[in-house]
Amino acid sequence: MRIAIISAEAVPYSKTGGLGDVAGALPKALKQIGHDAVLITPCYWQTKGEYLWETAIDDLWLTWRGQPYHAKAFYSEANGSPTFLIDAPSMFHRDSIYGYTEDYERFAFFNHAALELIKRVGDAPQIVHLNDWHCGFAAVELASRRQHDPYWQGTRTVFSIHNMAYQGGFSMSELPALGFTSKFARNAFSFDRYASAMKAGLEVSDTLSTVSRRYAQEIQTSEYGYGLEWLTRQRANRLIGITNGVDYEVWDPETDVELPAHFSIDDLSGKRECKRALLEQFSLPIELDRPIYASVTRLTGQKGVELIKEGAGDILASGGFFIALGSGEKDSEKFLQALRDHAPSRVGVYIGYNEKLAHLIEAGADMFLMPSKFEPCGLNQMYSLRYGTVPIVRATGGLDDTVQNWDAVTETGNGFKFGPYRADKLLEKIYEARFAYEDKAAWAKIQRNGMSIDNSWENAARNYVELYEWTLQ
Ligand code: ADP
Ligand code: GLC
């Protein structure tokens, strides 16, 4: 099958969160099971030059806001599958990947350029796979083009929701300047007096998917639908949930190139070395029997940082170290720094983005905290499972689908899971985990239960192929 995947970020070219991991790994997994998958993503100022193998097109002339616009495209296979990176410096050479008032314009441009590029480089794909609000524009443009351009007639669209909380809203009055003048396009974008790129993608794409089964249900409720639950309900018969995979070429403690020592389900001794290195990294005392609770996260309301704030005193009172790597909302960053200043021999904090450290934390920690308010899928709990780091999570979205609560009687379960979004519920699980940690045999069993799970991309990619086949019917 010929598939084009369009994404605003993709590893190793760019990443701010899990979308980057997924968009980088899925085309590679599709290729490995015999499909012809190509990835299209922007070339940011942050994209390392070593990944830009060659210039594929140096005259990608587009019309933008009524003017000619000269873009280029680089080619690479650094993620393991053919990739085109759209180079348009005025749009993508910025200090950060997102966060500008004109983001809607930057990604509308990216979508338009991606469709032009696809047409330029070969036969039409059967499936164009779009990701999150950044790609809602392409859903509308492609549906419109299909009406009059024979090239696109056989192409169908799949739209994947990675996060309903970000919807790409802007003023309806901007639509004509972005090239959307038809009544069809106005209707598609129109949402509550604004234009919403997420709503457009949900409304006009041929099928919809999201990144876990539980989240596919949740986004049909007012608690998680962010005002679009009526639309996800309306399209429920075209919506499925596919849990993300893990790229074990990047995230496997047996081979991880970022680690000082390796380990596996049969021999965990290297994990202790990683724990030592992690404590050294944060200048914490080398007390290897004291558990490390860790967190690696974007510091946003989604991730349940407020529960960690409320419970921080008790986490320390339970006798553990606490190590956090994250960046985002300033008050959460300040809170973490203050916590470290308050207990410098028990708390390690790194504010910022650090890929290498994320690997060391996954390997060296004992427990991983993810008390998310909502979590469409979540990758870190799956990395934790593989690294023998026991996840403590809230039962929402992909966390609920991938983590099973430990039951000491039946010796089943791979982590600790609570329901209501409350700090006391998180603390109950922290104490339960602390108790289990003291029982070496029980702890080893919990670790093994997690490490033996296969969350590889191969399974997820096969589910996507079924989705694509269904979309083409
Ligand atoms: P989300 O996409 O909502 O942020 P996920 O769990 O799906 O959540 O994916 C987060 C990804 O981003 C993981 O690969 C995680 O290791 C990484 N990550 C998040 N924050 C940081 C950080 N400060 N430094 C390094 N990696 C980070
Ligand atoms: C989003 C979600 C996260 C998910 C990721 C990749 O960023 O917040 O839960 O794992 O997308 O699908």
Side-chain angles (χ1 to χ4, degrees), residues 9 11 15-22 162-163 166 244 251 296-300 302-303 325-327 350-359 362 368 370 374-381 383 399:
E9 56 183 270
V11 164
K15 169 170 164 178
T16 68
L19 172 62
D21 289 321
V22 171
H162 297 262
N163 200 328
Y166 303 98
N244 290 329
W251 292 97
V296 177
T297 188
R298 293 184 293 116
L299 297 168
T300 68
Q302 169 185 350
K303 300 292 179 179
L325 161 62
S327 66
Y350 183 107
I351 300 297
Y353 187 89
N354 187 326
E355 192 80 27
K356 190 176 174 67
L357 188 54
H359 284 250
E362 283 293 2
F368 198 94
M370 278 182 93
F374 66 93
E375 196 62 75
C377 180
L379 294 168
N380 276 120
Q381 83 281 12
Y383 301 154
L399 297 175

Side-chain angles (χ1 to χ4, degrees), residues 56-91:
I57 303 177
D58 63 8
D59 60 342
L60 188 63
W61 280 102
L62 306 163
T63 302
W64 192 246
R65 287 193 178 260
Q67 306 288 325
Y69 190 108
H70 180 203
K72 291 184 187 172
F74 295 106
Y75 181 81
S76 181
E77 290 183 15
N79 70 321
S81 74
T83 303
F84 291 96
L85 297 111
I86 296 195
D87 187 35
S90 72
M91 300 285 178

Side-chain angles (χ1 to χ4, degrees), residues 374-397:
F374 66 93
E375 196 62 75
C377 180
L379 294 168
N380 276 120
Q381 83 281 12
M382 293 197 275
Y383 301 154
S384 300
L385 289 171
R386 188 61 157 201
Y387 284 70
T389 300
V390 174
I392 301 178
V393 306
R394 184 169 166 257
T396 182

Side-chain angles (χ1 to χ4, degrees), residues 5 14 37 47 74 87 100 143 155 158 169 194 214 252 291 304 308 357 385 431 452:
I5 296 175
S14 56
T47 306
F74 295 106
D87 187 35
Y100 301 94
T155 302
V158 171
Y194 288 92
R214 175 78 196 268
D252 186 339
I308 295 182
L357 188 54
L385 289 171
Y431 277 100
S452 59

Side-chain angles (χ1 to χ4, degrees), residues 434-448:
R434 182 74 179 91
F435 183 73
Y437 178 80
E438 293 304 326
D439 178 345
K440 290 213 163 28
W443 196 253
K445 179 74 175 128
I446 304 173
Q447 287 179 305
R448 276 202 305 277

